[in-house]
Amino acid sequence: MYKLSLFIAVGLLFIACGKKEQSGDDFSKPSTDSAASADPSSYDPNRGEGKFDKVDLAVTLDQPIATEGEKIASVKCTSCHKSTEEKLVGPGWKGVTSRHQPQWIMNFITNPDPMITKDPKMQAQLEICLVRMPNQGLNDTEARDVLEYMRKIDGVK
């Protein structure tokens, strides 16, 4: 009985430690979805790639939305991004709202792969950071909240 138990345990160990399926979490490679492989000549560098054509922002900061954005960022973003200009894994967020249109930011937050594939600035950034930004699965509201937090970082009052 002891030998049978040992045999079963060793068999399970081999099964558990055998060839594993690739998880698909290699962030250095682009997504293979059809949007990511589309023609880069149709890319709009002011809008980005995604569903947001125009994002209207108030002149003043919406503090409750920015607070929600800060909460989301603390869970999904701050392990790779600092609120300063300093690079961590990804670039710092300070000044991002003056470098990019709000629709570009929203499209990038919600769907980074096609933009990394098509945007020359993002490709240059990838050469510096060496890690593709993973899609964090933020919905439209969460992405808008994070955008408002970025505006707060950039000094919008």
Side-chain angles (χ1 to χ4, degrees):
M1 186 64 163
Y2 173 74
K3 288 183 181 180
L4 180 59
S5 297
L6 181 61
F7 180 74
I8 292 171
V10 169
L12 290 173
L13 181 64
F14 279 115
I15 291 169
C17 295
K19 183 178 177 183
K20 295 183 179 180
E21 294 294 319
Q22 188 174 5
S23 70
D25 289 340
D26 183 354
F27 300 127
S28 65
K29 296 179 183 170
S31 165
T32 56
D33 66 21
S34 60
S37 59
D39 179 16
S41 66
S42 65
Y43 180 76
D44 179 355
N46 293 314
R47 181 185 165 280
E49 180 78 21
K51 63 182 172 182
F52 298 100
D53 292 321
K54 180 142 178 61
V55 177
D56 293 319
L57 302 175
V59 175
T60 59
L61 186 73
D62 187 321
Q63 189 59 51
I65 292 176
T67 300
E68 283 304 308
E70 187 171 6
K71 290 176 190 174
I72 294 164
S74 71
V75 173
K76 300 264 188 172
C77 310
T78 58
S79 60
C80 294
H81 299 280
K82 290 188 174 192
S83 61
T84 65
E85 293 175 349
E86 184 181 355
K87 174 187 169 285
L88 189 54
V89 173
W93 281 0
K94 182 76 173 165
V96 73
T97 61
S98 62
R99 291 190 302 271
H100 297 287
Q101 296 294 321
Q103 57 272 12
W104 186 98
I105 295 169
M106 293 281 291
N107 283 325
F108 187 67
I109 289 172
T110 57
N111 196 18
D113 279 331
M115 291 181 62
I116 293 170
T117 301
K118 294 178 179 182
D119 192 299
K121 289 181 183 177
M122 294 312 305
Q123 292 168 358
Q125 190 68 51
L126 180 59
E127 288 182 22
I128 295 167
C129 296
L130 305 175
V131 177
R132 293 178 72 89
M133 182 171 129
N135 189 330
Q136 294 294 325
L138 273 66
N139 64 38
D140 296 355
T141 302
E142 292 168 326
R144 178 62 184 87
D145 294 347
V146 171
L147 172 59
E148 197 69 7
Y149 173 55
M150 290 174 166
R151 293 180 69 214
K152 179 180 177 180
I153 290 170
D154 286 343
V156 174
K157 302 276 185 208

